[in-house]
Amino acid sequence: AYPDDVVSSLLAVLIMLFIYSVLQTMIIFKVGNTYSISRELEFKDIKKPFYRILSFNWIYFLVLYFLSLVLYKLNLFNNIITQLILFIVTVFLWFVPQIVVMENQGVLNSMYISITYWKNNWFHLITLLVASFALVFIAMVLDAIFVGITGTIISVIFMVLFVIPYIEIIKTEIYLNKYKLLKPRHQL
């Protein structure tokens, strides 16, 4: 790949992560407000958690990107063990945005809390994984059913408008179970 292509691709992903971070922050605040965990906030109050989530998303992506390049050069990227380790790390950090917003924590402390949260909540991990995989699988099926660019567009629209927000809502509700205020949907 040419350096210009790499830079423009990285820039496009960072812009996409900016939009994703806005969406994450708004969804988490909305769900938290629904259950009276987060109070009604003005825009100036949302900026700090948003910047924390954005910095986490950007740094996490860049670390994974450059780590993937190194692993690829070492012929370890397609190794199943490497992929499993990266997947486990990602799963253990799933709740970082929820903790940043709900607990008003910094990124490093949120990472620690997210990792330790799973120790006592493994059932939630399994149900969240199953729901996430099922929704992403449906998006892949949509892409396969509608051939060509149409399938890709329909799949992306489904992911952006339904899958990503729904997964963030489920993640937030599961994290709220920490407060014993509600039962997550999969336990009803």
Side-chain angles (χ1 to χ4, degrees), residues 4-180:
D4 291 346
D5 293 340
V6 172
V7 169
S8 61
S9 296
L10 280 174
L11 185 60
V13 171
L14 292 176
I15 290 169
M16 182 198 72
L17 286 173
F18 177 87
I19 296 166
Y20 177 67
S21 299
V22 169
L23 180 66
Q24 268 186 316
T25 307
M26 290 174 20
I27 289 172
I28 295 166
F29 269 113
K30 180 65 178 156
V31 173
N33 187 35
T34 300
Y35 295 105
S36 298
I37 296 296
S38 58
R39 57 188 166 76
E40 281 290 330
L41 297 173
E42 297 179 20
F43 177 73
K44 64 182 171 83
D45 298 324
I46 295 174
K47 285 192 307 186
K48 186 176 180 181
F50 164 73
Y51 288 134
R52 286 179 179 168
I53 290 173
L54 178 64
S55 66
F56 169 75
N57 286 338
W58 276 0
I59 292 168
Y60 187 66
F61 166 76
L62 290 172
V63 166
L64 281 181
Y65 176 77
F66 289 112
L67 181 63
S68 297
L69 289 177
V70 170
L71 291 170
Y72 182 77
K73 290 291 185 189
L74 297 173
N75 290 323
L76 294 173
F77 186 71
N78 291 327
N79 183 317
I80 190 73
I81 295 171
T82 302
Q83 294 300 316
L84 188 60
I85 291 169
L86 292 175
F87 175 73
I88 290 169
V89 168
T90 299
V91 167
F92 277 118
L93 297 178
W94 260 357
F95 285 125
V96 169
Q98 281 72 18
I99 296 165
V100 163
V101 172
M102 303 290 209
E103 308 286 346
N104 195 23
Q105 296 290 322
V107 172
L108 290 177
N109 200 30
S110 296
M111 290 168 69
Y112 173 76
I113 294 169
S114 181
I115 291 167
T116 57
Y117 180 79
W118 290 117
K119 184 172 39 174
N120 298 323
N121 299 289
W122 59 269
F123 177 75
H124 299 313
L125 169 64
I126 293 169
T127 54
L128 183 56
L129 283 173
V130 168
S132 299
F133 279 123
L135 291 170
V136 171
F137 181 75
I138 291 169
M140 291 179 356
V141 168
L142 287 173
D143 192 15
I145 289 174
F146 300 98
V147 183
I149 191 74
T150 305
T152 303
I153 291 171
I154 290 171
S155 177
V156 167
I157 289 171
F158 178 70
M159 286 289 292
V160 169
L161 295 180
F162 181 73
V163 174
I164 292 172
Y166 189 73
I167 290 173
E168 286 302 321
I169 290 168
I170 291 173
K171 282 172 40 184
T172 304
E173 287 185 348
I174 286 173
Y175 187 74
L176 285 173
N177 188 51
K178 173 182 180 179
Y179 297 106
K180 307 294 185 214

